Amino acid sequence: MKKSLKFFCLAALVGCSLLTVSSAFAAKTIKVGIVDTYSGPASTYTNDVRDAFALAAEKINAAGGILGRQLEFFTRDSKFKVGLGLSAAKELVMRENVDILMGTINSSLALAISDFAKQEKIPFLATFAKSAKITGENGHRYVFSMNENTAMIGKAAAEGLAKRPYTSYWIAGDDYEYGHAVADGVWENLKKLKPGVKLLGQSWWKVGEPDFTPYITAILAQKPDAVIVATGGRDCVPFLKAAQATGFNKQVPFYMHTATEISTLKPLGLNAPEGVIGTANYHSYYPDTAENRAFVAEFEKAYGRTPAVGALYGYITAQFISRAYTKAGAIDTEKFINALEGLSVDSPVGKVTMRAEDHQVMLPMFMGVTTKAAGQSVLIAKDIVTIPAEETMPSLDEIRKARQH
């Protein structure tokens, strides 16, 4: 069953659903199959990816489509489960005959879909998963990353932390791939930039930990100068809530990726902790440019809410698809991939490029500190420092070594 785009956006349809941007066309479309988490805590990040992609697709189609074809997309809810998500990806390819796969916030699922895409020789555009393996050691011709990864987070955080007066650190986080990859990335880069730093110890909790208080108490007893908190999407909000409740943020500075991002802060409102150091690829208020202001106004008009970082990922993914097919001059997978390599598109954060060698998009990172602002119902970031993509990307030599293993 097909539904109009407008109806879909308003209904925020989740689960097994089929969405098209127009019911007027039937034969020749470019089909994109999106597998992501649309139920549970992670959906706070993924809904914006889908909605910004829909918004961009609507504009592309209104302007005549891509090489005369309309852009059509389908969504499937993985419920953050690898098996369910992989089955959905296979169904989209085998039954719906999609031209491109897209998603997901779950790194393990992204790697599984990537393997499937490689076998089927179909492009897979990863839009929120942050494992560096996606474009690192497991990278291949048919996979592209549309957001930052753990290696880039590590370099960006280290760049910012090295300029602060902290010497002794404690590392704490989710005991799974993302948590350890982020922690290792930050720490290894921080040691290079500031050789005098010392690691006093580490704490690791299971994903979905219901009570952070014992960990916070133990960390404070060790009196580190600062703490690196490596939590993933599911635990970011609960950890900030615990930090506020225990006064953790007032007793020791701590860094957490996405701590300054609206997706993480919005659920806590003005009860989010102040003074937390965070990094993110996007803020609706920064950079304060005409392009970003226009993007925010358009998104808010369509959905009645402020765009978060996922909106940036969804928007640029649609732009890359449109521009790559147009550059290729044909609806052809191999020509599409060749055209996407090294391609640049305009975005709310400026021009962004898909690095040809490893298929990793080059996005700037913004480091700031959470604070309350007059008239705002959600904390924002202050003292924002821009870290250019060139300073956070893994070197090509690092990519080559990773893929040799």
Side-chain angles (χ1 to χ4, degrees):
M1 178 177 65
K2 292 185 177 181
K3 299 177 182 294
S4 70
L5 173 63
K6 184 177 181 181
F7 176 81
F8 172 80
C9 296
L10 294 174
L13 185 63
V14 297
C16 182
S17 60
L18 166 64
L19 183 148
T20 69
V21 291
S22 170
S23 60
F25 62 93
K28 297 295 184 181
T29 62
I30 296 172
K31 296 182 177 180
V32 178
I34 306 176
V35 180
D36 220 328
T37 299
Y38 296 121
S39 52
S43 62
T44 189
Y45 298 96
T46 57
N47 288 337
D48 273 25
V49 178
R50 177 199 60 202
D51 291 346
F53 184 86
L55 197 60
E58 186 177 42
K59 291 181 65 176
I60 290 168
N61 289 337
I66 305 169
L67 300 178
R69 295 193 187 187
Q70 297 280 285
L71 183 60
E72 180 182 23
F73 70 94
F74 306 76
T75 62
R76 297 291 185 271
D77 185 3
S78 70
K79 303 183 187 300
F80 209 75
K81 297 178 179 178
V82 175
L84 182 61
L86 182 58
S87 295
K90 292 179 179 179
E91 182 266 334
L92 285 166
V93 172
M94 304 302 180
R95 182 178 176 183
E96 302 294 351
N97 297 312
V98 298
D99 299 287
I100 294 171
L101 285 170
M102 176 179 156
T104 166
I105 195 170
N106 184 322
S107 287
S108 296
L109 175 56
L111 289 167
I113 294 178
S114 177
D115 285 343
F116 172 66
K118 182 179 180 180
Q119 295 169 13
E120 295 298 320
K121 295 185 177 181
I122 182 170
F124 171 47
L125 312 182
T127 50
F128 219 114
K130 304 191 186 307
S131 173
K133 292 180 180 177
I134 295 171
T135 53
E137 65 182 88
N138 290 11
H140 56 81
R141 176 170 172 77
Y142 296 93
V143 67
F144 294 80
S145 175
M146 298 292 168
N147 57 275
E148 88 288 30
N149 62 34
T150 51
M152 299 162 72
I153 295 168
K155 288 192 175 186
E159 185 74 25
L161 291 174
K163 297 174 182 175
R164 298 175 185 266
Y166 316 135
T167 300
S168 62
Y169 281 84
W170 193 276
I171 290 176
D174 291 341
D175 191 11
Y176 78 126
E177 180 181 338
Y178 172 81
H180 287 280
V182 167
D184 290 346
V186 177
W187 187 245
E188 292 304 317
N189 284 289
L190 185 57
K191 286 193 296 183
K192 294 176 184 176
L193 295 172
K194 196 171 182 178
V197 295
K198 298 177 182 178
L199 182 60
L200 301 184
Q202 305 181 39
S203 303
W204 296 100
W205 48 73
K206 64 180 182 298
V207 176
E209 170 60 47
D211 185 7
F212 294 103
T213 303
Y215 297 97
I216 288 174
T217 302
I219 293 170
L220 291 175
Q222 299 303 315
K223 301 184 183 303
D225 292 339
V227 180
I228 297 166
V229 179
T231 56
R234 180 171 176 173
D235 283 339
C236 288
V237 175
F239 185 84
L240 288 186
K241 185 177 181 180
Q244 175 74 351
T246 59
F248 184 59
N249 56 304
K250 297 178 181 177
Q251 299 178 68
V252 62
F254 73 90
Y255 161 81
M256 187 177 83
H257 183 56
T258 76
T260 50
E261 210 278 310
I262 191 172
S263 302
T264 305
L265 292 170
K266 189 176 181 179
L268 297 174
L270 295 178
N271 290 320
E274 290 188 274
V276 181
I277 307 165
T279 42
N281 284 137
Y282 178 73
H283 296 299
S284 60
Y285 47 86
Y286 193 91
D288 186 18
T289 61
E291 291 80 5
N292 195 19
R293 288 194 294 272
F295 177 69
V296 172
E298 189 175 27
F299 191 92
E300 289 182 339
K301 182 180 179 181
Y303 301 109
R305 67 178 192 274
T306 302
V309 68
L312 173 68
Y313 304 150
Y315 177 83
I316 64 172
T317 300
Q319 299 304 318
F320 273 121
I321 290 173
S322 177
R323 291 286 306 280
Y325 274 124
T326 301
K327 179 182 175 183
I331 310 302
D332 178 275
T333 293
E334 301 305 322
K335 291 181 179 178
F336 170 81
I337 291 173
N338 292 341
L340 187 50
E341 293 177 334
L343 186 65
S344 296
V345 299
D346 294 326
S347 84
V349 296
K351 193 174 290 295
V352 296
T353 299
M354 179 61 66
R355 192 161 73 173
E357 292 83 356
D358 61 351
H359 297 184
Q360 175 63 53
V361 73
M362 301 176 69
L363 287 170
M365 197 83 80
F366 307 112
M367 174 174 271
V369 180
T370 59
T371 187
K372 293 179 180 177
Q376 298 291 327
S377 60
V378 178
L379 271 62
I380 64 170
K382 68 175 182 179
D383 303 329
I384 296 175
V385 175
T386 301
I387 305 170
E390 290 77 7
E391 296 181 17
T392 67
M393 295 285 285
S395 70
L396 295 180
D397 187 53
E398 290 172 328
I399 295 298
R400 280 191 290 270
K401 289 179 179 177
R403 293 188 180 184
Q404 288 173 354
H405 294 156

